[in-house]
Amino acid sequence: MIVVLKNQIKNIIEAYFDDKYEKDIEIITEEPKKLSLGDIAIPSFSVVKVLRKPPVEVANEIKATLENSNLPLAKIEVVGGYVNIFLDKEKMAGDILYNAIKNDEKYASSTIGNGKTMVLDYSSPNIAKSFSIGHLRSTVIGNSLKLILQKCGYNTVAINYIGDWGTQFGKMIVAIEKWGNIEEIKKDPINILSELYVRINNEEKEHPELAEEAREAFRKIELGEQKYVDMWKWIRQESLKESEQIYDLLDVNFDSFNGEAFFNDKMQRVIDILENKKLLKEDQGAQIVDLGEDIPPALIKRSDGGSLYITRDLAAVMWRKETYNADKLLYVVGNEQKLHFIQLKNVIEKMDLPYADDICHINFGLVLKDGKKMSTRKGNVVKLYDILIQAIEAAKNQIEEKNPDLPNKDDVAKKVGVGAVIFNDLKNYRALDYEFDVNQMVKFEGQTGPYLQYTGVRIASIIRNQNIDLTNLDLSLFDKEHYYEVIKLVGDFDDVITDAAKEYAPSIIARYLLDLASSFNKFYSIERINTEDEKIRNTNFALAKAVRIVLNEGLRLLGIKYLEKM
């Protein structure tokens, strides 16, 4: 709401100066840190610099221009070289309450993405390994971005680009043949396969010949040798079973599970284009694309003829653009893959394909355990499934203490525990690392998911069975700071969603929800909601309902369930 008004004010003043002085002057609009200074402030200095007039004279000219507009402005003050604008709080509050309550879960939806398709590549675990908390970030960031983009009108395609191809499968097969027992492995496939994977990586340090054996085993898969293909298929199938457990708990779903193997028969087209454009060069028996002095070359084929990750990614880019008519291809992948995407975009450009700029690396930092990166190869991983179950149990213990008679405690605990894990991730800006602490994230107070869910439940209990008459409100209450602070945040929801979509940053919504909940709880501590005065009571209930609508929808956009009771 404020952002829209700021843009309208900016456009009016810029048009005025362009018309009167034939000068293209950029006007800056700000939000003062204190409400006492107004809702919007305009420094005059950018105009002063061009027109060479005194700041106060320019500020008064801006004031006169805005007083002739039809915007909902209650008061305009000139203080030094600043124009401080106070909005018509009553009109604003009435409009926001009406829009929020009438639109309900559709409130703050937009059409900025209408007619556009975003393809999102996220989660994408490697098969034959336990789904660790290291894969949590890609999964929940990608899922939230999908929901946010849908809210903005985009068509989305969610792809789980399973890591089901590569030399690691050669390693796995060699480990099984040397140290495994198939019947034992079948009893607990992923755990035993993970142990074997750690073992072969450790053994390889003293026996480097194992690396060559692994490459040879993978080549047999590539060449279609039935025994090895069957082992690969079985490992893939068992891995997907474990992943489904995680996705069910997180309530995450995909439109496609086409992994790396899907593109094996689509890579030749890439090779042909590179050859026709004379981009392929031989380097120590391998085939590369030279990307200049500043970027390492892209390795397209190994010296033994085996395919590489970037070759499959090039095939995937072309296939996704053509199959889905995609406007953007979003890759929710860790910071450490930055070079890969630089190379990918550069090769696409060299191939003269017109969509290098449509490839977006949505990077994110690490989930740390005791300050250290986790690694499947070294064996120091924490399984995400175990963490989710631990969080659910911790949530249930708190529910037992606070509300032992609550029905459906198990279902509520699941929503609270899983929501706590998701929110703890998404409240952090995605590009930064963060430390994982399950005990902190499940608390009902502080900057946590359960705090937001609890605030929503508190509001639900306030407005339950209440009839709210939007024609019988006392909008003068919004001249009070604690009323206006809440309604202003409710009105900001559409701008927050738009910013989160533009920045590909769910943390913008997460932080906003914390501010909204804090602001409402402050309001609740000051005001008695259910008063005898009908107009005040109606206004209080309407404000509470609007906050509840935004909290519920904000949590949904983060992939978190809201609750009626807890």
Side-chain angles (χ1 to χ4, degrees):
M1 190 84 176
I2 295 290
V3 172
V4 172
L5 281 169
K6 283 166 68 176
N7 287 332
Q8 290 174 334
I9 288 167
K10 174 182 170 71
N11 292 337
I12 287 170
I13 299 170
E14 287 179 348
Y16 166 79
F17 284 115
D18 185 37
D19 183 56
K20 183 171 181 179
Y21 298 101
E22 295 185 352
K23 298 287 186 181
D24 184 12
I25 304 171
E26 183 179 1
I27 296 299
I28 298 168
T29 57
E30 305 171 340
E31 290 186 45
K33 293 182 179 178
K34 295 182 180 178
L35 288 175
S36 60
L37 296 175
D39 302 291
I40 300 171
I42 304 171
S44 63
F45 308 113
S46 61
V47 184
V48 170
K49 186 176 180 181
V50 175
L51 299 183
R52 299 186 181 282
K53 286 187 172 187
V56 174
E57 185 179 333
V58 169
N60 278 310
E61 206 167 343
I62 292 171
K63 177 184 176 184
T65 304
L66 291 175
E67 285 175 337
N68 292 324
S69 73
N70 292 318
L71 298 177
L73 312 181
K75 183 172 65 172
I76 305 172
E77 294 180 345
V78 172
V79 180
Y82 281 82
V83 180
N84 291 338
I85 301 167
F86 295 80
L87 301 176
D88 185 336
K89 294 180 172 62
E90 293 183 25
K91 185 177 187 311
M92 269 188 62
D95 289 346
I96 292 168
L97 286 175
Y98 181 84
N99 285 329
I101 292 172
K102 288 300 181 184
N103 287 301
D104 205 345
E105 74 273 4
K106 293 182 180 178
Y107 177 59
S109 298
S110 75
T111 58
I112 60 173
N114 280 11
K116 296 178 182 177
T117 297
M118 305 289 246
V119 173
L120 299 96
D121 177 327
Y122 60 98
S123 193
S124 308
N126 291 320
I127 65 173
K129 299 177 186 177
S130 289
F131 201 119
S132 76
I133 61 171
H135 275 96
L136 173 69
R137 301 218 71 184
S138 178
T139 306
V140 298
I141 292 170
N143 185 59
S144 180
L145 287 179
K146 178 184 76 171
L147 298 171
I148 292 166
L149 291 169
Q150 288 172 349
K151 181 81 172 175
C152 293
Y154 290 94
N155 177 46
T156 62
V157 180
I159 296 176
N160 196 345
Y161 187 52
I162 301 293
D164 58 0
W165 205 247
T167 310
Q168 70 266 31
F169 298 104
K171 283 190 177 186
M172 191 65 66
I173 288 170
V174 170
I176 291 170
E177 288 178 335
K178 286 185 178 295
W179 308 300
N181 179 301
I182 291 295
E183 294 308 313
E184 287 299 312
I185 294 172
K186 285 181 178 178
K187 294 176 184 176
D188 189 11
I190 300 305
N191 283 330
I192 297 176
L193 289 173
S194 295
E195 290 169 4
L196 289 171
Y197 187 71
V198 171
R199 179 172 179 179
I200 193 168
N201 279 288
N202 289 332
E203 295 272 354
E204 195 179 293
K205 295 172 187 174
E206 295 183 12
H207 302 282
E209 68 274 9
L210 288 172
E212 183 54 41
E213 289 182 43
R215 280 192 289 271
E216 181 57 29
F218 179 61
R219 270 189 56 74
K220 289 177 179 177
I221 300 174
E222 289 187 298
L223 292 169
E225 196 166 314
Q226 198 61 48
K227 171 187 170 184
Y228 290 88
V229 170
D230 288 345
M231 288 180 75
W232 168 77
K233 285 182 177 178
W234 177 75
I235 293 169
R236 186 182 192 277
Q237 181 183 358
E238 291 300 324
S239 299
L240 288 176
K241 284 181 187 176
E242 191 203 42
S243 295
E244 281 302 321
Q245 280 186 310
I246 303 293
Y247 296 135
D248 286 346
L249 276 174
L250 295 174
D251 194 21
V252 170
N253 51 69
F254 300 90
D255 301 302
S256 167
F257 282 85
N258 289 335
E260 293 181 54
F262 177 78
F263 293 97
N264 282 340
D265 62 353
K266 299 169 180 62
M267 289 186 291
Q268 190 56 48
R269 183 183 173 197
V270 173
I271 304 296
D272 291 345
I273 294 173
L274 292 172
E275 285 179 341
N276 289 339
K277 292 189 174 293
K278 297 182 169 48
L279 292 171
L280 283 181
K281 294 183 179 179
E282 188 170 324
D283 184 2
Q284 298 180 355
Q287 297 289 312
I288 67 165
V289 173
D290 189 348
L291 300 176
E293 294 181 3
D294 298 328
I295 306 172
L299 188 57
I300 303 299
K301 270 190 174 182
R302 295 197 308 260
S303 57
D304 62 5
S307 61
L308 287 143
Y309 185 82
I310 194 167
T311 319
R312 287 188 290 278
D313 243 8
L314 289 164
V317 167
M318 295 172 68
W319 190 84
R320 291 170 184 177
K321 282 292 291 186
E322 294 164 1
T323 303
Y324 301 117
N325 193 25
D327 291 277
K328 293 279 186 184
L329 299 173
L330 309 184
Y331 292 83
V332 187
V333 182
N335 289 334
E336 62 271 23
Q337 293 297 317
K338 180 180 179 181
L339 175 61
H340 171 78
F341 287 100
I342 291 173
Q343 291 177 316
L344 184 69
K345 293 177 76 165
N346 271 267
V347 175
I348 290 287
E349 283 180 352
K350 285 183 174 291
M351 293 169 74
D352 291 329
L353 297 172
Y355 37 74
D357 289 338
D358 297 337
I359 297 168
C360 301
H361 177 202
I362 312 303
N363 60 308
F364 58 84
L366 299 171
V367 181
L368 304 175
K369 178 188 176 188
D370 300 325
K372 297 177 182 178
K373 177 183 176 180
M374 289 163 288
S375 169
T376 307
R377 293 184 182 188
K378 296 177 181 177
N380 60 333
V381 296
V382 177
K383 294 178 186 176
L384 181 54
Y385 183 80
D386 293 345
I387 286 293
L388 291 171
I389 297 302
Q390 185 182 340
I392 291 168
E393 289 173 353
K396 188 174 181 181
N397 289 338
Q398 291 196 73
I399 291 166
E400 292 278 10
E401 289 178 14
K402 294 177 180 290
N403 192 359
D405 298 325
L406 178 71
N408 303 319
K409 276 184 282 193
D410 288 338
D411 182 58
V412 173
K414 176 183 172 183
K415 290 173 179 175
V416 172
V418 172
V421 174
I422 294 172
F423 187 81
N424 186 66
D425 188 295
L426 295 183
K427 74 178 181 183
N428 299 284
Y429 178 61
R430 58 176 168 76
L432 302 177
D433 301 342
Y434 77 91
E435 185 75 26
F436 196 89
D437 186 341
V438 71
N439 295 316
Q440 288 297 318
M441 68 181 69
V442 296
K443 290 185 175 179
F444 280 39
E445 60 280 333
Q447 297 186 338
T448 68
Y451 166 70
L452 294 178
Q453 289 170 314
Y454 183 71
T455 300
V457 166
R458 168 184 277 178
I459 296 171
S461 69
I462 292 169
I463 63 176
R464 191 170 290 124
N465 302 322
Q466 297 294 339
N467 293 316
I468 301 169
D469 183 359
L470 292 177
T471 66
N472 188 27
L473 303 176
D474 183 358
L475 296 176
S476 68
L477 291 168
F478 291 97
D479 288 323
K480 295 181 180 181
E481 189 169 319
H482 59 285
Y483 271 89
Y484 182 63
E485 184 181 303
V486 178
I487 198 64
K488 181 176 176 291
L489 282 168
V490 172
D492 286 342
F493 191 36
D494 53 353
D495 298 325
V496 168
I497 293 170
T498 301
D499 288 346
K502 287 179 179 177
E503 299 292 326
Y504 304 121
S507 59
I508 292 174
I509 293 177
R511 291 288 171 181
Y512 161 81
L513 293 179
L514 289 171
D515 288 342
L516 178 63
S518 174
S519 182
F520 177 81
N521 285 323
K522 173 185 169 185
F523 166 82
Y524 184 71
S525 70
I526 295 170
E527 292 292 333
R528 181 166 161 256
I529 306 292
N530 194 4
T531 65
E532 293 178 1
D533 186 296
E534 187 178 2
K535 279 197 168 189
I536 296 175
R537 185 172 66 248
N538 252 326
T539 308
N540 290 343
F541 284 143
L543 182 59
K545 184 167 185 177
V547 172
R548 166 78 172 169
I549 287 167
V550 172
L551 278 176
N552 287 359
E553 183 62 3
L555 287 170
R556 185 191 72 82
L557 293 175
L558 298 178
I560 298 170
K561 306 294 184 186
Y562 57 84
L563 300 161
E564 293 298 322
K565 296 180 180 180
M566 67 186 285

